[in-house]
Structure formats: C-alpha cells, structure tokens
Amino acid sequence: MNRYKKGWIAALVVMLAAAALTLTGCGKKTDPVSQESYYFDTVCQLTVYDMKDMSEKHADEVIQGAFRQCDKYEKLLSKTKKGSDIYKVNHAGGRAVTCDPVTIKVLQKGIRYGKMTDGLFDITVGQAEDLYDFHDKKHHTVPTDAQLAQAVSHINYQNVQISGRKVSLTDPDSEIDLGGIAKGYIADRLGVWMKKQGVTSAIISLGGNITCVGGKDGSAFKVGIEKPFSDQSEVVGYTKAKEQTVVTSGVYERYFRKNGRLYHHILDPSTGRPADTDVYSVTIVAGSGRSIDCDAMATICLLMGKEKGMDFIEKQDGCQALFIDKDGKITKTKGMNFTKQEEDK
C-alpha cells in the first residue's frame, strides 16, 4: 500500500486480541466479516463482529449496503466528482445551486467551525489545495508566492451563502472542499445505518476516522494510534473505545519532501502553505455520533499547535485529545485513556 493510503488507513489501527476473533450468533461461532473499498480518496474498511442473526452472508449484505451509502454521500460531497452538489456549487459561477439536505448539514457544520476559529478552519481552502499534488510520487511542484497569494484571496468561509436548500458563493472563484469534515459526517451516518440493520458490534474505518459500534465481547475495542512517519505502521499505544469515535489528523498522512523541506496536506488558510505547527498528529475521542466534530477538531488542533490545541479541546464538552509533537513527546488531556505500547507488553 502506498504511503498515502497507508497514512489514512493505518493512522488508527484496530488492535484486536486475536486476528481470528469469533463471536456468537445464531447458536454458532462466526468469524468477523471485513471488507475494503475506496471512497473519499481513501481506503475504507468496514468490519462486522456481531449482529442480529450473525452470519457471513448477513454481515456481507450489511457491509455492501454501507458501501452503497458511501457512494451516495461521495456523489453529494466530493469536490472532484462531477455532478456532486459541491462540484456544482464550485462551478456555478456564483449562481445558487439546489443541494441535498445532507450537503446543507455538512456545509453548516463547516461554517460553524469557521466562525468558532475565526477562519482557521475554512472549507473554502480548495484553490490552495489544488496547487499541491500529494498523489504524484515523483514530480512535486511547490506553488509560487504569486500563485498562493491569488488562491488565498479567495479563501473565506463567509463566501458560502445558504438559503434554505440553495447554496451560492459570493466570490465565484472560491472553492469548497469538505475533506476536513465530510468523512466524519459519513462515519456517523454509517454507524446509525448499521445499527438499524441489527449490527451490535462493528468497526467503521474511513482512513483516520474510526467509529466503534458497540464493543468487543462486551468490552471496549483497542484502537491503535500510529507513530508518525512510521513506514511499518508502528503504534505508540492505544486507546480503548466502546460506542465512541476516534479521529486522527496527522501531517504524515499526505506529504512530500523537496529541497529538505516537508510539505504536508494540512494548509494554513491565511497563507496557503502547509501549517507551521509543532505537532505531528492529533487524536480526538468523543462519544458516538460526534465523528464530524472530531474530524474538524483534529485539524483545528493541528493548525493551532499543542498549547492552543490543548486549551481548545479542554473547553469542548465530552472530548479528549492526544498530541504527538515533533520530538515524539505525547501530551494528552486529563480524561484521555491511553496505554503506551511498551506498557502493554
């Protein structure tokens, strides 16, 4: 798996006690059922451990249904998929576009975090992001100062206007990108949908977004937190999660180095350049249904840096965080449950 895919899927590795864990259903033991697919520019992995009438066939049907949900949401929220709501808004030349209620909800949440952070989190950073190609393994182009200045001039979440189901951009050259928040919303919805199908124990992994449906045999799942820039997907430790969401944002997820400098995908909206932060990764943990918030807050904290990020999270109800800084030092909020890897041996 290339570095980009690995970064997303391995940012939080589900550490189970045994690979062949079995759960009881329908009077017999059934192995977990797991499948991968590719949506939202990342590898998505869904694993069902237990459900009503648990069987490989039933679990597979639920997973396939969940992937169809992923496809539906991608066709609404992706900025690159032609015909999506976001694509239409970005290419409407400032004209109003009628959008799905789902799109409206995600946009409103993004605007809320823009207001909360005075624009540090900005869903109109799309033009600046387009100047970097983190997928090209061989040819990396660094934008010029003039290109960045032009892109930054169109970054302002206040350009997004919503009236009922109509969305428009007051600056036609602004570009919405929901990459910092959409997967959180989708993980939340998948969790709700799977429960309605009778699932009682599952892991939803959309790259760095992990949602735990229930627990494992009545206990919490162990969710590993990756060591930044670990080519072997090493973990620094794990957090226990039951009916919770765990989201990690890291500068190592998508990056390249040129002329001895690190260029990563988390951009400062005020400059269009990779955020100059003292933090390599941030992990946020909250209750079920809050993956969308954790998604945004993980990015916000990384942009803020450790000191301001810690202060920000401690003011948010029901959220805990763990920071890994450039020196490899781990700092966590008071209520964050975390076990270092060496302590678990």
Side-chain angles (χ1 to χ4, degrees):
M1 184 178 291
N2 65 45
R3 184 186 302 276
Y4 305 128
K5 290 183 182 178
K6 178 186 74 66
W8 284 105
I9 199 70
L12 290 165
V13 182
V14 179
M15 301 169 59
L16 300 175
L21 170 71
T22 57
L23 295 171
T24 301
C26 297
K28 64 179 182 179
K29 291 183 177 181
T30 304
D31 288 343
V33 178
S34 183
Q35 294 186 28
E36 290 184 358
S37 194
Y38 196 78
Y39 295 98
F40 328 117
D41 201 26
T42 193
V43 175
C44 302
Q45 184 179 52
L46 305 179
T47 305
V48 174
Y49 294 95
D50 202 6
M51 62 176 291
K52 182 180 179 181
D53 299 327
M54 177 67 178
S55 69
E56 183 175 354
K57 178 178 181 294
H58 291 157
D60 181 72
E61 289 172 349
V62 168
I63 291 174
Q64 291 306 312
F67 281 141
R68 287 193 292 273
Q69 297 288 310
C70 288
D71 182 67
K72 178 185 75 173
Y73 290 127
E74 186 174 50
K75 288 176 178 175
L76 293 175
L77 304 174
S78 169
K79 80 165 188 175
T80 59
K81 206 167 191 67
K82 289 185 178 181
S84 75
D85 281 354
I86 299 305
Y87 185 93
K88 289 177 182 177
V89 173
N90 285 341
H91 292 81
R95 297 183 300 275
V97 174
T98 301
C99 294
D100 190 276
V102 164
T103 306
I104 301 299
K105 287 180 182 178
V106 180
L107 286 171
Q108 288 173 334
K109 182 70 79 167
I111 292 169
R112 175 176 176 269
Y113 278 107
K115 291 178 180 178
M116 184 186 297
T117 62
D118 293 324
L120 184 63
F121 182 88
D122 199 307
I123 59 174
T124 63
V125 75
Q127 259 211 50
E129 291 175 339
D130 292 341
L131 298 175
Y132 302 86
D133 188 352
F134 293 100
H135 294 284
D136 190 331
K137 298 180 182 180
K138 296 182 179 179
H139 305 99
H140 299 299
T141 302
V142 177
T144 65
D145 289 346
Q147 287 175 315
L148 288 169
Q150 191 277 336
V152 168
S153 70
H154 301 294
I155 297 175
N156 188 338
Y157 70 91
Q158 294 177 336
N159 290 335
V160 182
Q161 298 296 307
I162 301 174
S163 177
R165 289 181 57 186
K166 299 281 188 179
V167 179
S168 61
L169 292 169
T170 56
D171 177 355
D173 291 320
S174 284
E175 185 178 319
I176 299 170
D177 188 328
L178 298 176
I181 199 166
K183 286 194 297 295
Y185 175 84
I186 295 160
D188 287 336
R189 300 316 304 164
L190 289 182
V192 171
W193 186 87
M194 291 176 78
K195 288 177 186 176
K196 288 182 178 179
Q197 312 312 308
V199 174
T200 56
S201 177
I203 291 286
I204 298 165
S205 175
L206 308 184
N209 294 67
I210 304 290
T211 291
C212 300
V213 176
K216 181 191 69 174
D217 279 342
S219 300
F221 287 101
K222 291 181 179 180
V223 180
I225 298 173
E226 187 183 5
K227 180 179 180 180
F229 301 105
S230 168
D231 290 334
Q232 300 301 317
S233 298
E234 297 177 57
V235 295
V236 296
Y238 64 85
T239 184
K240 292 182 178 181
K242 182 178 182 181
E243 199 62 27
Q244 289 176 295
T245 186
V246 184
V247 178
T248 290
S249 183
V251 301
Y252 57 88
E253 291 167 343
R254 296 181 185 182
Y255 71 94
F256 62 84
R257 296 183 189 274
K258 191 164 186 176
N259 299 325
R261 183 174 177 179
L262 172 70
Y263 293 87
H264 58 80
H265 74 296
I266 299 175
L267 306 183
D268 184 335
S270 67
T271 65
R273 295 183 172 86
D276 184 12
T277 176
D278 61 348
V279 175
Y280 272 160
S281 75
V282 180
T283 298
I284 310 292
V285 180
S288 176
R290 297 197 62 189
S291 188
I292 187 171
D293 297 299
C294 293
D295 205 357
M297 289 190 285
T299 300
I300 289 167
C301 287
L302 198 146
L303 286 163
M304 286 181 169
K306 183 168 65 176
E307 185 176 344
K308 291 183 178 179
M310 285 281 289
D311 183 61
F312 175 80
I313 287 298
E314 286 173 350
K315 294 176 181 177
Q316 311 305 315
D317 291 337
C319 298
Q320 305 300 333
L322 181 144
F323 296 73
I324 303 178
D325 65 25
K326 289 183 176 180
D327 297 323
K329 182 180 177 182
I330 296 172
T331 306
K332 58 188 179 70
T333 53
K334 293 179 181 178
M336 176 76 183
N337 79 76
F338 173 72
T339 302
K340 288 185 179 180
Q341 184 71 349
E342 58 268 24
E343 294 175 356
D344 196 43
K345 294 180 178 178

